[in-house]
Amino acid sequence: MNEALLTQYVETYKKNILMQIQQNTLQKYTGIPDVDDKRLFFTLLPLLNGENWDQSVKISAISVSLIFAALAAHDLVKEDNATAKSQQLQVLAGDYYSGRYYQLLAKENLIVLIQQLSDSVAKITEHKTRFYDLEDYSFEELIQSIQLVESKPIEQFFEYYSYHEYVFIMKEALLLATLKKELVAYEKSEKTFYISKSKLFQRNLDALRREIDKIEHALVLDVRSSELLNESLKHAILERVCEHSLEQQLREG
């Protein structure tokens, strides 16, 4: 599967996801739901690598993206203006997306997966609170929390359908993409979610840069040496999270 076809698969899934949660009134006030292209790409890793992917898996993958859309909608609610009409509708949008994921999976009778994904949402909420409370978490604990928040529902989805071999690369890639995005935004004085809420990160930007370099180096080695991934997918992964093509990485290595 070449790069153009990989991109087409992701775009088709994104359109399907948005169709599942199209609601004119909500979108008028809250905008298009947040479906992150990179996260969707890594949700589809098994499909893009040629694994068996039936209707049940398709519905489940869409549902996972709806969970993240719901979480993103709730994150946009501003604490200092939560009673405004637009903010109340933002809450309703998140609830609506969450309800749709449940509805889709229930229709397929995927009760066990519903339970597992519900557990993952609870864990995400728990770990997000680490960036609001005053407990003394370590640098490593906060990094682990970010990884969980960014990838736990996809991990549950992969494990449910026995795509176990894709979990590590997916988790590391999404962690790397998130840390890079956060650091670039923070250095430009733009809005961030994790760094702006963490004095520990703000005091240790050099440590964060070293962590990013460490994760990227290890991920590149894992992708390059993988016997699981096809060559086109290796290229696509590195281009999305490392901003380097596979040939560039090979030359630099």
Side-chain angles (χ1 to χ4, degrees):
M1 189 182 297
N2 60 34
E3 174 65 23
L5 194 53
L6 291 173
T7 301
Q8 183 180 336
Y9 266 77
V10 176
E11 290 176 351
T12 299
Y13 260 79
K14 187 169 184 175
K15 289 178 182 177
N16 287 335
I17 292 162
L18 294 176
M19 285 176 59
Q20 294 294 334
I21 49 178
Q22 186 173 359
Q23 216 288 342
N24 292 336
T25 301
L26 289 176
Q27 290 187 20
K28 176 182 177 181
Y29 289 95
T30 64
I32 301 297
D34 184 3
V35 179
D36 182 81
D37 288 346
K38 283 183 181 176
R39 186 184 288 118
L40 179 56
F41 172 85
F42 286 102
T43 303
L44 300 178
L45 269 187
L47 169 66
L48 302 177
N49 201 44
E51 300 286 357
N52 181 52
W53 194 270
D54 60 20
Q55 181 67 11
S56 172
V57 184
K58 177 181 178 180
I59 293 298
S60 300
I62 290 173
S63 298
V64 166
S65 292
L66 295 184
I67 289 174
F68 282 110
L71 292 167
H74 286 150
D75 284 341
L76 290 173
V77 177
K78 299 175 183 177
E79 295 175 5
D80 59 351
N81 195 25
T83 59
K85 181 178 180 179
S86 61
Q87 295 294 285
Q88 291 175 330
L89 286 168
Q90 196 72 60
V91 174
L92 289 176
D95 292 345
Y96 175 64
Y97 306 154
S98 182
R100 284 294 290 143
Y101 107 77
Y102 185 94
Q103 186 180 41
L104 287 173
L105 294 180
K107 187 175 180 180
E108 295 292 319
N109 200 33
L110 295 169
I111 307 305
V112 173
L113 183 57
I114 290 173
Q115 294 170 338
Q116 292 176 351
L117 291 175
S118 296
D119 288 343
S120 74
V121 172
K123 286 186 173 67
I124 285 173
T125 301
E126 175 188 341
H127 280 260
K128 276 185 176 179
T129 62
R130 290 186 173 186
F131 294 88
Y132 291 93
D133 65 34
L134 299 177
E135 290 191 36
D136 189 21
Y137 297 105
S138 69
F139 183 88
E140 292 74 19
E141 286 174 326
L142 292 180
I143 293 293
Q144 290 168 6
S145 289
I146 293 173
Q147 185 170 64
L148 185 147
V149 169
E150 296 298 322
S151 62
K152 189 62 177 178
I154 307 173
E155 179 183 358
Q156 296 288 78
F157 163 59
F158 281 3
E159 296 291 1
Y160 182 83
Y161 287 103
S162 298
Y163 298 136
H164 311 294
E165 293 174 291
Y166 296 89
V167 171
F168 180 77
I169 286 177
M170 176 275 296
K171 289 174 63 176
E172 291 293 286
L174 288 178
L175 174 61
L176 177 60
T178 299
L179 294 180
K180 282 188 168 187
K181 181 180 178 181
E182 283 271 316
L183 184 58
V184 168
Y186 186 77
E187 290 177 334
K188 293 181 178 179
S189 299
E190 296 173 353
K191 183 179 179 181
T192 64
F193 182 84
Y194 300 107
I195 298 178
S196 64
K197 294 178 175 64
S198 172
K199 296 296 184 184
L200 179 61
F201 280 160
Q202 293 169 29
R203 292 193 302 265
N204 294 278
L205 290 179
D206 286 341
L208 187 57
R209 293 186 186 96
R210 289 193 296 272
E211 183 71 15
I212 289 172
D213 289 343
K214 182 181 74 174
I215 296 169
E216 181 167 349
H217 180 72
L219 181 62
V220 169
L221 291 178
D222 286 338
V223 171
R224 282 167 51 178
S225 63
S226 174
E227 297 181 359
L228 171 69
L229 304 172
N230 64 57
E231 291 302 312
S232 294
L233 193 54
K234 290 181 181 181
H235 282 264
I237 290 171
L238 295 181
E239 286 173 350
R240 280 166 175 78
V241 297
C242 302
E243 299 176 356
H244 286 68
S245 68
L246 185 59
E247 288 90 348
Q248 287 175 301
Q249 292 291 349
L250 289 171
R251 288 197 298 270
E252 292 172 5

